[in-house]
Amino acid sequence: SLQYMEVAEELMETCYSMYRTPTGLAGENYSVLFDRIQVADKRNFLRPETVESLMILYRATGNNKYREWGWEIFQAFEKHCKVEAGYSGVMDVTRPSAELDNKMQSWFLAETLKYLYLLFSPSDVLSLDEWVFNTEAHPMIIW
């Protein structure tokens, strides 16, 4: 329903706002203080949840802002996390030259990059009318 879509888009705006750091990466968790959101855990582990939501909302609405936000997040991964043999999480998203944690979590390839790929793919590639994703981003056909 329209009411649920409005809530989903507002939640997405909140999730995206967490990427407004000097690195363009979100921290692991946040504190909400009245009208402000503050980074509580400054690490970034390359998690997929935000880009998954961007992909689903783009496919549901066709609103290009979700692709734009996904592109900004991808560029931040490229700028701050890319290393010779893959990608690394960062220790402090609030520092422009963030120290790397020297770990690429398995979900980065299996989920984060998959959802980014699907965000920029035509909507008939793993259509949400025919496929659902489990918690590990494996597509499962809807019977």
Side-chain angles (χ1 to χ4, degrees):
S1 97
L2 184 58
Q3 177 187 7
Y4 294 123
M5 186 56 72
E6 289 174 7
V7 171
E9 290 187 288
E10 290 171 5
L11 285 169
M12 185 72 260
E13 177 74 41
T14 301
C15 290
Y16 175 68
S17 73
M18 295 177 190
Y19 284 79
R20 292 184 186 124
T21 64
T23 58
L25 299 167
E28 271 298 293
N29 56 56
Y30 285 74
S31 297
V32 178
L33 306 167
F34 301 104
D35 62 342
R36 293 184 314 145
I37 298 174
Q38 282 187 314
V39 183
D41 182 343
K42 297 177 182 181
R43 298 173 295 170
N44 178 285
F45 295 135
L46 313 169
R47 292 197 187 275
E49 289 80 8
T50 298
V51 294
E52 174 186 13
S53 298
L54 289 170
M55 184 273 293
I56 291 170
L57 276 171
Y58 172 73
R59 295 241 180 137
T61 67
N63 189 333
N64 242 1
K65 78 178 177 182
Y66 300 120
R67 278 186 166 174
E68 292 167 11
W69 293 353
W71 182 246
E72 289 173 15
I73 292 168
F74 176 72
Q75 288 179 310
F77 285 140
E78 287 290 299
K79 181 176 181 179
H80 297 284
C81 304
K82 191 169 185 172
V83 295
E84 184 178 342
Y87 292 80
S88 172
V90 299
M91 299 300 292
D92 185 347
V93 299
T94 66
R95 299 181 133 205
S97 56
E99 177 186 353
L100 301 174
D101 70 7
N102 205 27
K103 295 177 188 170
M104 183 174 73
Q105 304 293 337
S106 63
W107 60 71
F108 183 70
L109 294 176
E111 299 178 57
T112 307
L113 290 181
K114 183 185 298 176
Y115 288 127
L116 282 166
Y117 172 79
L118 291 171
L119 175 61
F120 296 102
S121 296
S123 293
D124 62 350
V125 175
L126 293 175
S127 167
L128 297 180
D129 293 328
E130 300 172 18
W131 297 89
V132 65
F133 295 90
N134 70 10
T135 59
E136 298 300 320
H138 300 301
M140 297 169 47
I141 196 158
I142 300 170
W143 294 14

